[in-house]
Amino acid sequence: MLAQGAIDRFDAMKPLPQTPMNVDEYLAWSEANPGRYELVQGEVYAMAAERARRARTRVAVFDALRSAVRGAGVGCEAMPDGMTVRIDAHTAYEPDALIYCGPRLDPDAVEVKGSVVVVEVLSPSTRRTDASEKLVGYFRVPSIQHYLIVDPDRRMVIHHRRAGDRIETAFAQDGTSVLDPPGLTLSIPALFEEP
């Protein structure tokens, strides 16, 4: 027989919605359903459990972004995972970290508008999606200038940067990466430092 706490946790688990949603409906649904999800073309997808290496890298990425923003003194803020970036009316991603510029977010905000930098940390289950669908999706958002894909296994960063009507790509395992706009320099090794 299950203990009462286990029964409560089991009862709290809800199936993913079976009907398509727009982003506003999804945001309302996700606030009432704990966990990490993304909305892709109207369908809700639960995010897989993560491994310790990826979790540590995710924390290091946020710390490095926050440090770079503070060091540059720009009017921007780094945010960790958990914030939503709207791609279009029926797609919303939850990057592992991001930088947005402008007024400070409302304390109850769950969506970030005006993201300039978005970051995804690769995992075996997301590698293909991060390098294809999300690459196209993120650059559909006019404010996004940089999309960093961080590979914790290879200790490498793939930096996609908007350059007019093109996207330029660079690979780095050491040194720094210039993120302009918003005008900051990011240490590549810092992205992999253990917190």
Side-chain angles (χ1 to χ4, degrees):
M1 180 159 206
L2 292 173
Q4 184 61 42
I7 292 170
D8 292 342
R9 283 192 301 277
F10 182 75
D11 288 342
M13 294 175 16
K14 297 177 183 170
L16 298 179
Q18 299 301 310
T19 57
M21 297 184 180
N22 65 36
V23 174
D24 293 326
E25 293 165 335
Y26 161 74
L27 291 173
W29 175 87
S30 66
E31 283 197 68
N33 291 276
R36 292 189 62 206
Y37 306 96
E38 289 187 323
L39 182 70
V40 180
Q41 298 177 2
E43 293 186 44
V44 176
Y45 291 89
M47 299 172 103
E50 71 182 343
R51 297 179 178 159
R53 176 184 296 151
R54 184 178 183 283
R56 289 183 187 115
T57 302
R58 202 170 31 76
V59 171
V61 164
F62 170 67
D63 288 346
L65 290 177
R66 184 169 54 181
S67 178
V69 166
R70 287 178 176 167
V74 293
C76 304
E77 183 177 5
M79 299 296 289
D81 68 322
M83 302 303 295
T84 299
V85 174
R86 184 184 303 244
I87 304 303
D88 59 33
H90 294 93
T91 301
Y93 297 143
E94 188 178 299
D96 291 311
L98 62 83
I99 295 173
Y100 78 93
C101 301
R104 191 166 180 81
L105 290 177
D106 180 284
D108 294 324
V110 294
E111 179 181 359
V112 177
K113 297 177 181 174
S115 298
V116 177
V117 179
V118 290
V119 183
E120 295 286 357
V121 177
L122 291 181
S123 71
S125 65
T126 65
R127 183 174 298 276
R128 185 171 310 179
T129 301
D130 290 346
S132 59
E133 293 168 36
K134 286 191 176 181
L135 171 61
V136 172
Y138 280 133
F139 281 110
R140 289 178 58 208
V141 178
S143 65
I144 294 178
Q145 300 298 309
H146 306 274
Y147 173 36
L148 306 178
I149 300 175
V150 178
D151 186 336
D153 296 325
R154 294 186 180 110
R155 296 181 65 86
M156 178 174 60
V157 176
I158 305 165
H159 179 180
H160 300 285
R161 181 178 73 85
R162 191 183 299 272
D165 60 352
R166 298 176 302 125
I167 303 299
E168 295 178 347
T169 302
F171 299 83
Q173 289 184 302
D174 204 4
T176 59
S177 187
V178 176
L179 304 177
D180 191 22
L184 52 94
T185 302
L186 183 64
S187 165
I188 300 302
L191 298 172
F192 301 99
E193 289 176 359
E194 298 252 341

